[in-house]
Amino acid sequence: MLRRPVATFVALILILMLVNVSAPRADNRDVPSPPTDWVSTLDRDHPLVGKIYATASNTVVSAQDMGRALALARFVLLGEIHDNPDHHLWQAWAIRAVSKLRGARIVEGQPQIDIIAMEMIRADQYAALDRFYGRDVEVPRPRPPKALARFLEWDKSGWPDFKIYEPIISQALYEQLVIVPASPSKELSRKVSKDWDNALSQGEIKRLGLDIAFSSDLENALTVEIGKSHCGLIPEAAFPAMARVQRFRDATMADAMLSVGPYKGAILIAGNGHVRRDRGVPFFLMARGVTPKQIVSIAHVEVRPGETNPAAYVDSTPEGKPAVDYVVFTPRTDRPDPCEKMRKDMSKGAPTPSTDRKSEPARNRATDVKP
């Protein structure tokens, strides 16, 4: 009498198994859909918009391909043009893609990514971050992303509207990644610019990797870039101090990423100039023992009218190699001419750009030229 119920039960199990096999299901190894509802308005119909270019293979690749490369890296460097909102949406997408794929077996055993270091936050703002995270109270309460702007006094920082950075903050909080400063304090940046010999101890210089000199070709390339990117308005006498600040900022960003310890990883949010493999943050990561394969660098760039060759957008090292691993193409943001803004600022008696973000190329800062 028991045979019929048992047979019925077995048949039911087999049916359920077949349904489970045949039914479509989401694959945890798939990256999220890329953000292609563009906010920037110019050149949306450009053929490169939304494309991803892999410099090593000289090919356009899928979001899945790039997402997998990010998930397999220990250190992920996400460049940007600061005032382009689409770049921040793609950075938030990359954070989500890394977290999602790291939950899949393809990245099993990779170093855990714990922090997001942001160029927009300085080391002297740690206390503000502590208040945002509630580290100064016994029972912290969750805060919305926009509260971070209030604690950091973002509206006084000179950075673009916090609203376009909010997707990054929201994604970091959702993924439970800790946001940390990537930039040095204002005071220390000024000291480095004005009094390099006494700003840092020899031990600190060596620890940061600043004792490793650039090659003459790399040094010359940086100097030329400083002159061009500041619209030819800066006297050559200011170049050495600006180069020192740039190197110091990159070394500090690398230090922030390495603060996770030897067995974990980090994500960096910074201008495109900082994520260059030859003289940016990767240089200082590798100077401190990180292998090139542990680093993936992405530049988010704006398309140019009439330029459809993706390789033409890639900066090169003095040896002719690509300076980044991937390039993501977006529409252009409508903005005033940054060089014209710099001319106006300087005509009003603004000091020579030499400290803080002022050493960063104008094309990366766009309109964010601090007086």
Side-chain angles (χ1 to χ4, degrees), residues 16 27 55 80 82 85 112-113 132 141 167 243 248 306 321 341:
L16 289 174
D27 191 335
T55 60
E80 64 181 48
H82 298 311
Q112 178 178 325
I113 288 183
F132 171 72
R141 59 186 177 89
F248 173 60
K321 297 179 180 179
K341 185 178 189 304

Side-chain angles (χ1 to χ4, degrees), residues 65-259:
D65 291 333
M66 185 177 75
R68 188 176 189 278
L70 296 179
L72 289 169
R74 179 184 173 197
F75 294 109
V76 175
L77 290 81
L78 304 175
E80 64 181 48
I81 295 175
H82 298 311
D83 67 344
N84 189 310
D86 292 308
H87 293 186
H88 306 307
L89 290 171
W90 272 86
Q91 289 168 327
W93 172 87
I95 294 168
R96 176 62 187 135
V98 169
S99 296
K100 185 173 187 287
L101 294 187
R102 279 176 170 267
R105 291 184 178 181
I106 61 168
V107 295
E108 191 173 350
Q110 296 298 316
Q112 178 178 325
I113 288 183
D114 275 2
I115 67 171
I116 295 181
M118 296 187 66
E119 177 193 357
M120 305 80 208
I121 306 176
R122 306 182 312 271
D124 53 311
Q125 294 179 302
Y126 260 115
L129 282 172
D130 286 343
R131 292 194 297 274
F132 171 72
Y133 279 112
R135 299 176 183 134
D136 56 342
V137 296
E138 289 187 11
V139 184
R141 59 186 177 89
R143 299 186 187 275
K146 63 183 179 181
L148 182 63
R150 177 166 53 87
F151 284 108
L152 294 175
E153 297 185 322
W154 190 282
D155 59 338
K156 300 177 182 178
S157 68
W159 290 101
D161 191 340
F162 180 80
K163 185 176 180 180
I164 67 173
Y165 280 91
E166 196 167 335
I168 300 170
I169 309 304
S170 297
Q171 201 64 54
L173 295 176
Y174 179 80
E175 307 295 350
Q176 299 184 346
L177 300 174
V178 178
I179 298 166
V180 302
S183 289
S185 68
K186 284 184 177 180
E187 181 181 358
L188 190 52
S189 291
R190 292 192 183 103
K191 286 182 179 179
V192 166
S193 174
K194 296 178 180 179
D195 189 15
W196 169 254
D197 292 335
N198 298 306
L200 301 171
S201 68
Q202 289 302 310
E204 184 68 355
I205 288 173
K206 185 173 182 178
R207 187 186 73 83
L208 291 174
L210 287 165
D211 60 324
I212 302 174
F214 280 175
S215 67
S216 58
D217 287 342
L218 206 55
E219 193 71 47
N220 290 337
L222 176 57
T223 300
V224 169
E225 177 72 10
I226 288 173
K228 287 182 177 179
S229 63
H230 289 84
C231 311
L233 299 174
I234 307 302
E236 290 188 14
F239 290 179
M242 296 176 73
R244 284 196 299 269
V245 172
Q246 184 77 0
R247 280 172 52 86
F248 173 60
R249 284 170 56 78
D250 288 334
T252 301
M253 292 182 196
D255 193 51
M257 298 185 79
L258 289 166
S259 68

Side-chain angles (χ1 to χ4, degrees), residues 21 50 53 61 74 90 103 147 202 213 223 230 233 241 275 312 315-316 328 371:
V21 169
Y53 176 64
V61 298
R74 179 184 173 197
W90 272 86
Q202 289 302 310
T223 300
H230 289 84
L233 299 174
V275 304
D315 288 335
S316 298
V328 176

